[in-house]
Amino acid sequence: MKTNPDTKTEITFEDFKAEVINDYKLAVTSRECSLLGRREVLTGKAKFGIFGDGKEIPQIAWAKAYEKGDWRSGYYRDQTFMMAIGELTIEQFFAGLYANTDLKEEPMSAGRQMGGHFTTHSLDENGHWKNLTKQYNSSSDISPTAGQMPRLLGLAQASKIFRNVEGINATNFSNKGNEVAWGTIGNASTSEGLFFETVNAAGVLQVPMVISVWDDDYGISVHARHQTTKENISEILKGFQRDEDNNGYEIFRVKGWNYPELIDTYQRASQLSRKEHVPVLIHVDELTQPQGHSTSGSHERYKNQERLQWEAEYDCNAQMRKWMIANNIATDEELNALERNIKKAVREGKKAAWASFIGPIQQERNEAIALPNELAKTSVNKVFISKLSSDLASIEEPLKKDIISVARKALRYVISEDSTHKTTLQNWIDNYLAVTQPKYSSHLYSESEMSPLKQVEASPTYDNDAKMVDGRIVLRENFDAIFNKYPEALIFGEDAGYIGDVNQGLEGLQEKYGELRVADTGIREATIVGQGIGMAMRGLRPIAEIQYLDYLMYALQIISDDLATVHYRTKGRQKAPLIVRTRGHRLEGIWHSGSQMGGTLNLVRGIHVLVPRNMTKAAGFYNTLLESDDPALVVECLNGYRLKEKLPNNIGEFKTPIGVVETLKEGDDITLVSYGSTLRLVEQAAKELLEVGISAEVIDVQSLLPFDINHDIVKSIAKTNRVLVIDEDVKGGASSYILDQILNEQNAFQYLDSQPKTLAAQAHRPAYGSDGDYFSKPSTEDIFEAVYDIMHELSPNDYPKLR
């Protein structure tokens, strides 16, 4: 039920009347979906509901200004808008509520996100880009409040890049940069730092971005007086208003129940932002939320009677209805009849969605009942198995977990029995899990032919008289080759532009490629990553630079909640192959230690985490990633930029494989596993261990996510029978992750003759100075002694106690 987005300059009254009635029909349909959706939650058919009731009319006005190629980055109340652009049906609305795992039935996330989280498909079933200029686009929503804002910045910036950077093949992505990125946010969430950071950045960048603030005076139960200075977001943002001498925003304020003024406001915002690339803020106030925040509670608990009466009168649907009658567009009787028909249509759509959801599960249930029944016939535990089967049969509306749970429990009763029925049940369980588990777990990473794991390694090659250069030179030359090879590639970050980054890895490249492709940014890590996410979603190949790994903390929520989940939460129908570049390890001081790997690893599943030991390896990772379609975090060694490396003669072409370890030194007595800057200490310790007759094998992890996909470490342990993992992160961090992978994924325990051990940093952050580093993180002596102690335990006579 799509509203007409084409605004004509001259139309007949009958045409106008038909369009208004169609808009009202859409508003009522959306409202009925919200009302019936709440009932479905309260009756137990759905787990949770959060709806867009009270925001229908402004979203219809917004849809009229929306054009194909535009992008939305919104939050979980935009259902009316999605219906208005033809991207959400009644059946799909309820399929989302029921968490239907069929992408055809529930195209927003195949049941992976709760209802109210909307998306469109940028990719086909093979992971290839669709033509995004020929469709209405919505980036996939996330629940964290204001988390949609950084991505919005990047979606808007992409239009600026497409308009102003030559040489990019924009066929499927942009029409001369004319696309607007539209964001929505609740008024309470404008209190979040991410909102203000995005607003400021967009004002600086001057990008075509329109933010709608849906203002209903509350954030859950908390009134605006506790949320916003002056209780008015547009009032306090007046300083961002542009004028004759300064760039800034255009700020509009409009009543959320005033249908004609809303249409006019959105048309003006669209034209201005689209033509001039000016950011716009539309403060839509005097809105209501008829059912409260969500199905978790009732708004009658925190709104007084006066407020509730006002909301009943100024409900946007009710006000539009009055306006239609007052302007002779429809009579009360006509609208009553229309509303009755809509209620019937929504009920029927709900029933159809439920039948599509529950039908296949009931069929699976019938199969599952038959198997235990057959098993029971020949089992001594017939009574117990039959009860399981009858209990499942009594569930009228079962879930998949009910089915597989009964089948697995039935198998327990025949542990000591052998029969063809038992084998049949075992095979059925294995097959059911093989088919069902991917419905919930697939597409965490790319499954297309562009997956980085499918890229073929290409080693660096060297001339006979290859020059020894600073590591930064290898990076600089490689970035130069990248920007020359990929017109759609760009890099941005604090100090990344004019001075060529703090370590000169981008020296001279801004002058060569321009300020849009090699760009400085403000100190605002969350929106730096957001720029990258949005631009990557629109087909560009951004590299977002976070100056130091420690500063990643500022952006970690966006990386974790948004970037890491894009591919998963859309079941492979959107991607954001952003590269986040940073540097860390072995610097001195509490906030420049660069070793928070454990926390990062546990929060960014869905992103590759790469830890090259030198700049040639780092450059190879960038080359691999730019031919791939997964996001990644590359952590360069901060103390490696001035260390000498050979300059390859195939700059820009060699590729470091992802998920593959490298053995740097072979040995027979113990396997030492590490990465990054600490690896240099491990190599030195291995040399010193030879002096006391200990032969250590040294392995560079290179890639933490994914980890050793060829299981080369366990092959080493099978030879040495001992392992020590060395890491500069705190105990329980990355070293524990690595050891878990070795023991539980690679099953190395069977080869061990000594206790597997880790050597990590002290529990505190590193103290300042070289001595602070020495006494805070593993030193060469620490590594030597830890290995020696293991060998002492093995053979005290050969290796007498050291101390």
Side-chain angles (χ1 to χ4, degrees):
M1 188 189 302
K2 179 179 169 184
T3 192
N4 181 10
D6 300 320
T7 304
K8 302 176 182 178
T9 55
E10 293 183 9
I11 60 173
T12 67
F13 179 73
E14 289 303 316
D15 289 338
F16 172 69
K17 175 179 174 180
E19 183 173 341
V20 172
I21 291 174
N22 185 63
D23 288 348
Y24 181 70
K25 182 178 179 181
L26 176 62
V28 175
T29 299
S30 180
R31 178 66 60 86
E32 286 300 317
C33 285
S34 296
L35 296 173
L36 191 52
R38 182 181 179 86
R39 290 178 211 154
E40 291 298 278
V41 174
L42 297 181
T43 58
K45 284 187 175 180
K47 293 283 289 185
F48 180 78
I50 193 159
F51 307 112
D53 47 307
K55 306 345 185 244
E56 293 89 351
I57 304 307
Q59 290 184 23
I60 289 171
W62 165 26
K64 292 178 182 295
Y66 207 79
E67 296 184 8
K68 288 184 177 179
D70 284 1
W71 279 83
R72 166 189 169 273
S73 182
Y75 86 136
Y76 39 72
R77 301 205 188 276
D78 292 345
Q79 72 197 44
T80 309
F81 170 78
M82 294 299 291
M83 290 178 173
I85 63 171
E87 293 295 334
L88 181 68
T89 66
I90 296 169
E91 290 80 3
Q92 290 167 349
F93 172 88
F94 285 101
L97 198 62
Y98 302 141
N100 193 320
T101 57
D102 187 338
L103 196 62
K104 293 179 181 178
E105 301 287 342
E106 204 285 272
M108 300 302 146
S109 72
R112 296 180 177 194
Q113 295 214 86
M114 68 178 71
H117 293 70
F118 306 113
T119 190
T120 54
H121 294 181
S122 302
L123 311 175
D124 63 21
E125 61 275 11
N126 297 313
H128 299 149
W129 289 108
K130 299 169 71 176
N131 190 332
L132 307 182
T133 68
K134 302 297 183 183
Q135 65 181 43
Y136 301 107
N137 301 292
S138 173
S139 60
S140 175
D141 294 335
I142 59 175
S143 293
T145 55
Q148 70 274 27
M149 300 308 294
R151 180 201 330 138
L152 173 65
L153 178 66
L155 291 170
Q157 188 181 3
S159 290
K160 184 172 184 176
I161 298 298
F162 283 124
R163 179 174 287 186
N164 295 288
V165 175
E166 296 180 358
I168 300 175
N169 182 0
T171 303
N172 289 332
F173 305 110
S174 180
N175 177 20
K176 299 178 181 179
N178 291 327
E179 302 80 21
V180 173
W182 303 80
T184 63
I185 188 168
N187 63 299
S189 293
T190 62
S191 300
E192 293 277 11
L194 292 175
F195 172 80
F196 281 96
E197 188 172 318
T198 301
V199 166
N200 180 60
V204 170
L205 292 171
Q206 288 294 285
V207 292
M209 181 180 90
V210 181
I211 301 173
S212 296
V213 179
W214 307 140
D215 186 351
D216 57 29
D217 261 3
Y218 286 86
I220 307 183
S221 66
V222 180
H223 191 269
R225 65 179 174 272
H226 301 297
Q227 306 273 4
T228 309
T229 302
K230 300 183 179 180
E231 300 181 32
N232 190 321
I233 189 63
S234 58
E235 180 69 21
I236 64 173
L237 290 179
K238 279 184 176 179
F240 285 87
Q241 175 67 51
R242 64 178 186 155
D243 55 38
E244 292 181 359
D245 301 318
N246 298 285
N247 288 329
Y249 275 72
E250 199 63 47
I251 300 176
F252 299 114
R253 187 174 180 183
V254 61
K255 305 301 181 188
W257 46 263
N258 194 318
Y259 173 73
E261 287 190 10
L262 283 162
I263 292 174
D264 177 67
T265 299
Y266 275 94
Q267 290 297 326
R268 286 190 290 138
S270 175
Q271 292 166 10
L272 176 64
S273 190
R274 198 177 304 280
K275 180 180 179 181
E276 300 183 31
H277 277 197
V278 173
V280 178
L281 180 114
I282 304 176
H283 182 190
V284 185
D285 65 353
E286 294 195 11
L287 285 170
T288 67
Q289 202 152 278
Q291 298 185 113
H293 176 74
S294 70
T295 53
S296 293
S298 172
H299 64 151
E300 285 85 358
R301 291 185 301 163
Y302 53 85
K303 292 177 182 175
N304 60 34
Q305 196 59 39
E306 181 182 5
R307 173 69 191 191
L308 292 172
Q309 289 175 352
W310 180 90
E311 290 196 3
E313 181 179 355
Y314 281 90
D315 178 284
C316 62
N317 287 13
Q319 284 290 314
M320 183 175 180
R321 195 182 197 279
K322 291 179 182 178
W323 177 82
M324 291 169 67
I325 294 172
N327 287 277
N328 299 317
I329 293 171
T331 65
D332 182 62
E333 292 77 13
E334 290 170 337
L335 295 178
N336 285 335
L338 181 144
E339 290 157 3
R340 285 194 298 270
N341 290 334
I342 290 173
K343 288 183 179 182
K344 180 180 178 182
V346 172
R347 286 196 301 271
E348 290 174 349
K350 184 269 296 183
K351 290 178 182 177
W354 180 251
S356 295
F357 171 72
I358 201 64
I361 300 177
Q362 289 174 327
Q363 185 176 347
E364 292 173 354
R365 185 266 307 273
N366 295 337
E367 294 176 8
I369 289 172
L371 293 171
N373 283 339
E374 291 297 315
L375 185 68
K377 291 178 182 179
T378 58
S379 174
V380 296
N381 290 311
K382 175 180 179 180
V383 174
F384 301 106
I385 297 172
S386 296
K387 185 177 187 306
L388 285 173
S389 185
S390 63
D391 287 346
L392 180 58
S394 68
I395 304 175
E396 293 184 9
E397 296 173 338
L399 297 176
K400 294 176 184 178
K401 70 180 184 67
D402 299 320
I403 297 168
I404 190 62
S405 176
V406 162
R408 294 168 77 176
K409 287 178 179 176
L411 198 59
R412 300 175 190 173
Y413 289 110
V414 292
I415 291 174
S416 302
E417 301 176 19
D418 289 313
S419 69
T420 57
H421 298 306
K422 176 182 177 181
T423 302
T424 300
L425 180 59
Q426 289 172 327
N427 292 337
W428 186 91
I429 291 171
D430 289 343
N431 182 68
Y432 189 88
L433 290 173
V435 171
T436 305
Q437 187 64 51
K439 296 179 186 293
Y440 303 92
S441 303
S442 69
H443 293 90
L444 181 60
Y445 296 94
S446 170
E447 298 181 8
S448 78
E449 70 272 14
M450 288 185 66
S451 165
L453 302 187
K454 297 179 181 178
Q455 301 303 309
V456 178
E457 179 181 6
S459 299
T461 57
Y462 300 92
D463 295 329
N464 291 331
D465 57 348
K467 291 191 298 184
M468 295 293 292
V469 298
D470 289 349
R472 72 172 186 89
I473 300 298
V474 178
L475 273 179
R476 185 194 68 190
E477 297 303 298
N478 198 75
F479 279 128
D480 189 6
I482 283 172
F483 297 137
N484 185 59
K485 182 178 181 179
Y486 301 102
E488 66 275 19
L490 61 155
I491 192 167
F492 45 92
E494 298 156 14
D495 299 308
Y498 185 74
I499 69 168
D501 90 37
V502 290
N503 297 103
Q504 299 291 278
L506 299 168
E507 180 187 22
L509 297 186
Q510 185 182 79
E511 184 177 0
K512 184 172 182 178
Y513 293 102
E515 293 184 6
L516 289 178
R517 293 190 66 193
V518 183
D520 286 308
T521 70
I523 300 176
R524 46 174 182 79
E525 287 78 11
T527 47
I528 289 173
V529 171
Q531 286 175 251
I533 296 172
M535 286 193 281
M537 294 181 98
R538 292 192 60 186
L540 296 171
R541 293 310 307 260
I543 302 172
E545 180 167 317
I546 303 298
Q547 193 163 94
Y548 298 113
L549 180 60
D550 305 79
Y551 304 164
L552 197 74
M553 296 295 191
Y554 289 95
L556 199 51
Q557 185 261 322
I558 292 301
I559 294 173
S560 177
D561 290 334
D562 195 355
L563 179 60
T565 66
V566 168
H567 201 254
Y568 169 77
R569 71 179 188 262
T570 62
K571 202 176 182 181
R573 293 309 172 92
Q574 285 190 352
K575 63 183 177 182
L578 166 66
I579 300 172
V580 179
R581 179 195 182 207
T582 189
R583 50 195 63 82
H585 310 312
R586 309 307 300 200
L587 191 63
E588 297 150 352
I590 293 177
W591 287 285
H592 292 81
S593 56
S595 301
Q596 305 91 332
M597 297 306 300
T600 301
L601 284 169
N602 286 302
L603 290 170
V604 302
R605 303 301 166 92
I607 295 174
H608 298 303
V609 177
L610 312 176
V611 283
R613 68 178 182 272
N614 59 37
M615 302 310 156
T616 302
K617 290 291 184 179
F621 277 137
Y622 292 122
N623 296 337
T624 299
L625 291 167
L626 284 165
E627 293 189 11
S628 312
D629 60 354
D630 267 334
L633 169 66
V634 180
V635 185
E636 298 166 6
C637 291
L638 188 54
N639 58 7
Y641 294 106
R642 304 295 174 183
L643 296 181
K644 299 298 182 181
E645 300 180 30
K646 282 186 179 181
L647 183 65
N649 59 20
N650 59 340
I651 284 286
E653 301 300 326
F654 60 87
K655 293 187 289 185
T656 307
I658 289 177
V660 179
V661 304
E662 183 175 356
T663 300
L664 303 183
K665 175 187 173 300
E666 293 190 357
D668 300 315
D669 295 326
I670 189 170
T671 299
L672 305 182
V673 180
S674 192
Y675 65 89
S677 295
T678 302
L679 199 65
R680 300 190 191 104
L681 304 184
V682 175
E683 289 183 287
Q684 178 60 36
K687 292 178 182 178
E688 296 174 6
L689 285 164
L690 286 173
E691 299 172 4
V692 292
I694 298 173
S695 173
E697 186 143 299
V698 178
I699 295 180
D700 179 9
V701 168
Q702 297 197 105
S703 171
L704 288 166
L705 290 175
F707 181 84
D708 190 12
I709 59 177
N710 297 325
H711 288 193
D712 289 327
I713 294 176
V714 73
K715 297 170 189 174
S716 172
I717 295 172
K719 177 177 64 172
T720 66
N721 308 120
R722 278 163 286 280
V723 64
L724 174 66
V725 178
I726 305 100
D727 179 33
E728 63 180 71
D729 194 7
V730 297
K731 295 176 182 179
S735 58
S736 295
Y737 160 78
I738 292 171
L739 189 59
D740 174 77
Q741 291 286 308
I742 293 171
L743 296 179
N744 294 317
E745 293 296 322
Q746 300 189 12
N747 197 26
F749 187 80
Q750 60 185 316
Y751 301 113
L752 289 168
D753 292 338
S754 297
Q755 177 186 345
K757 290 190 175 183
T758 63
L759 176 61
Q762 298 295 323
H764 54 75
R765 299 281 184 94
Y768 175 63
S770 296
D771 283 343
D773 176 82
Y774 185 90
F775 290 102
S776 299
K777 293 185 176 183
S779 65
T780 303
E781 289 72 32
D782 291 331
I783 299 166
F784 181 100
E785 293 177 6
V787 173
Y788 190 89
D789 285 346
I790 293 172
M791 300 305 293
H792 166 73
E793 183 181 20
L794 170 72
S795 180
N797 292 330
D798 293 330
Y799 305 101
K801 189 172 180 61
L802 189 61
R803 64 179 175 88

